[in-house]
Amino acid sequence: MSKTDEIDDTSAPLIEHLAELRTRLIRAVLAFIVGIVLAFTVAEPILQFLLAPIEATLRDLGDPSPTLQYTSPQEYLFTLFRISMVFGFALSFPVIGYQLWRFVAPGLYRSEKGAFLPFLIASPFMFLLGASFAQFVVTPLAMQFFLGFADVSSIFANLLTGGGGTVPSDVAVVPETSEGVKITFFGKVNESLDITLKFIMAFGLCFQLPVLLTLMGKAGLVSAEGLGSVRKYAMVAILTLAALVTPPDVVTQIILFTVVYGLYEISIFLVARVEKKREAQLRADGYYDDEEEFDDPLMAEFDEEEAAQERKE
């Protein structure tokens, strides 16, 4: 066989894999584009949903008409497109995950397929759980903390409380002040949305902790005993994370620490279960010996002679 034939034989599978990868990528990108288009059609209701914690906080602070602004012509459109990108990926993730699975599955053993598929399903579920926790628990607490410094929440509240009865209804008059500068909240759409999306991404990723550690445990990279021995370091790391991704509010930080540390303990439990299953499989395959170590008299005599020699020295 010539060298040319050897090259052709080895390059054919590579070309087939590249062609398969191209097909899977094209399908994933098309699904992503379709997801963006579908999400853009409902981007404004999604924006209202994401900004609901800010609206509720402003109304609680006395603003009868919560309002956000944009300061450039393209800002609002780009904000909607940003929402479409994020939620379009969420909509298309089942297709993208399926294409990823179809690409890697032929190269996996049956046991590896059974190990990989549950994590592919659990990962988006845990991210959705973390994002929901951020939207319904953390973001309202953060908004109450950030917006709670002002006595009046927006310029509309100032206009309504300071306007006189003789002013016509179609004329807006800014109330006069005798001293100081009036501090009001008149937030931008993209900046307010940025805070909400950061919370969603941060907590969505934090909720991946059990999935990541369990997968590492299945690969033998971590053990339940090892994770348990570094609990105190994990607590310090989680406290640091809570201080970085949450506002300087003790209540919010305690909530985040409690949730993430609970996920860490759940991870230890899941890794321990993985280890028990692997040990049971090794026993069934005959690779794990439960019998006591055999006492070799020759080795015992050798150890005694070595110990006597060390005492003489």
Side-chain angles (χ1 to χ4, degrees), residues 181-244:
V181 177
K182 199 67 176 177
I183 305 298
T184 60
F185 172 75
F186 204 56
K188 294 183 64 178
V189 175
N190 61 340
E191 293 177 353
S192 301
L193 178 66
D194 186 64
I195 296 175
T196 302
L197 289 181
K198 281 182 178 178
F199 280 141
I200 289 176
M201 293 301 297
F203 280 85
L205 293 176
C206 285
F207 273 62
Q208 298 295 313
L209 187 63
V211 179
L212 176 63
L213 291 181
T214 306
L215 185 59
M216 293 176 66
K218 208 167 187 63
L221 300 176
V222 297
S223 64
E225 183 180 357
L227 293 174
S229 64
V230 296
R231 273 191 176 94
K232 55 184 179 181
Y233 303 107
M235 293 177 67
V236 174
I238 294 171
L239 284 173
T240 304
L241 176 68
L244 291 176

Side-chain angles (χ1 to χ4, degrees), residues 259-311:
V259 172
V260 178
Y261 183 74
L263 293 173
Y264 184 79
E265 291 293 336
I266 292 174
S267 302
I268 295 177
F269 172 75
L270 293 175
V271 172
R273 289 195 59 185
V274 167
E275 291 176 343
K276 288 182 179 179
K277 289 183 178 180
R278 183 166 61 240
E279 182 179 321
Q281 184 64 37
L282 290 175
R283 281 198 180 95
D285 295 339
Y287 294 108
Y288 196 91
D289 190 6
D290 291 329
E291 297 181 359
E292 295 183 358
E293 186 178 354
F294 176 71
D295 293 331
D296 189 348
L298 294 177
M299 288 300 298
E301 183 179 352
F302 176 78
D303 293 337
E304 290 177 359
E305 292 178 356
E306 185 176 341
Q309 184 67 25
E310 290 178 355
R311 285 196 296 270

